Amino acid sequence: MASRNLTWVTEFILMGVSDRPELQMPLFFVFLVIYGLTVAGNLSIITLTRVDSQLQSPMYYFLRHLAVINLSNSTVIAPKMLVNFWVTKKSISYYGCAAQLGGFLVFIVAEIFMLAAMAYDRYVAICHPLLYTAVVSPRLCRLLVSLTYLQSLVTALTVSSCVFSVSFCSSNVINHFYCDDVPLLALSCSDTYVPETAVFTFSGTNLFFSMIIVLASYCRIVLAIVRIRSSEGRQKAFSTCASHLMAVVVFYGTLLFMYLQPRTSHSLDTDKVASVFYTLVIPMLNPLIYSLRNKDVKSALKRFLNNPRQSLKLT
């Protein structure tokens, strides 16, 4: 009898970044600028690493895929978020919410492992420079990228299926600006043990293994740089991984801040702030980090702007 009184939801309401009316328009323009810079920056990286003959090394192959992932992750979140700043009813359909959660998981997990693949690439380049082209071959690059996308798809399908296997009834207001697993499970009126276990297991496993690869790679890199006798040599070696190291620190620092904070101080509002960084701000920053600190990318951009037709003919 009790089940007859339940109201099964067909759509969800997203509370957004803030529910204060006076902040809606200022926030809209802030996030519009962020998304615009994200699209422009990542499309520039994708184009340059595709058409410029001097950006055809494994490092830029991984960088191109990172740019695709960053652009896709922001596009899964930002357009719906921007529309919701203008409308009174900030709704998203049940299946639209499931698709958004799945898309977010695909690209956030892909970014985790792409950064790990790039860390391994930098390790081989600095610690075994003579073997670099033999070890980090085109075949290995394609394999690492394929495994990255495969793991992200497995994670997204498993976790989103578990999350949407529970019953959502009565309350349909999500305390977030997109459909994320934790605020969705907070609305469930059925047992959430299985989906919570799936979220915890996949999140922990993916983060753990990717961080092991990153930490192991950079420990070897640091030891190799310390052994270099000349300061010029150390500076040159460090410059080859400085951009990636900065991107890793920003990305993993945000994730660790969210997952390692004490449960007593943990809240959905805190998750919301952290989510703004790794879904919108970091995808905007990555092209800047890799272009401003990279002479090859800046040179490629100058060549492309000076003679775009010639650059496109190179493909």
Side-chain angles (χ1 to χ4, degrees), residues 2-226:
S3 61
R4 295 180 181 178
N5 298 324
L6 298 177
T7 303
W8 302 97
V9 302
T10 57
E11 65 177 13
F12 295 96
I13 306 298
L14 296 166
M15 287 183 63
V17 178
S18 173
D19 57 358
R20 295 173 60 181
E22 69 274 15
L23 292 180
Q24 299 305 299
M25 285 305 98
L27 287 173
F28 168 79
F29 287 110
V30 168
F31 288 112
L32 180 63
V33 170
I34 289 175
Y35 183 57
L37 291 174
T38 300
V39 173
N42 285 289
L43 281 179
S44 298
I45 293 292
I46 293 167
T47 303
L48 289 175
T49 55
R50 185 73 180 176
V51 305
D52 194 279
S53 59
Q54 296 184 32
L55 299 182
Q56 300 306 308
S57 66
M59 181 177 93
Y60 296 110
Y61 177 78
F62 292 129
L63 180 58
R64 179 164 69 247
H65 281 279
L66 180 65
V68 170
I69 290 165
N70 284 159
L71 178 59
S72 301
N73 196 20
S74 286
T75 302
V76 167
I77 307 297
K80 181 64 178 176
M81 176 189 184
L82 292 171
V83 169
N84 283 345
F85 282 119
W86 286 91
V87 298
T88 304
K89 186 180 181 182
K90 308 177 191 298
S91 62
I92 184 170
S93 69
Y94 181 90
Y95 293 106
C97 189
Q100 189 179 59
L101 174 62
F104 162 72
L105 290 173
V106 165
F107 296 116
I108 199 69
V109 174
E111 182 167 3
I112 288 173
F113 284 103
M114 194 59 65
L115 288 172
M118 294 173 76
Y120 174 75
D121 170 75
R122 293 298 81 203
Y123 153 69
V124 178
I126 293 173
C127 299
H128 306 285
L130 299 178
L131 299 175
Y132 180 68
T133 55
V135 175
V136 190
S137 62
R139 183 178 179 181
L140 179 64
C141 292
R142 290 193 294 270
L143 177 63
L144 291 176
V145 169
S146 299
L147 290 175
T148 292
Y149 288 127
L150 178 62
Q151 177 62 17
S152 63
L153 284 170
V154 169
T155 300
L157 289 173
T158 305
V159 172
S160 57
S161 297
C162 288
V163 169
F164 280 88
S165 67
V166 302
S167 300
F168 299 101
C169 41
S170 297
S171 177
N172 67 337
V173 180
I174 302 174
N175 184 17
H176 219 307
F177 58 91
Y178 69 95
C179 293
D180 198 7
D181 42 37
V182 174
L184 272 167
L185 291 175
L187 302 179
S188 174
C189 56
S190 59
D191 184 30
T192 59
Y193 176 77
V194 172
E196 284 179 348
T197 302
V199 169
F200 177 80
T201 301
F202 275 93
S203 299
T205 302
N206 290 334
L207 197 57
F208 174 77
F209 281 107
S210 63
M211 285 193 67
I212 287 295
I213 296 170
V214 171
L215 291 174
S217 298
Y218 273 101
C219 283
R220 296 288 185 89
I221 288 171
V222 170
L223 290 175
I225 292 176
V226 168

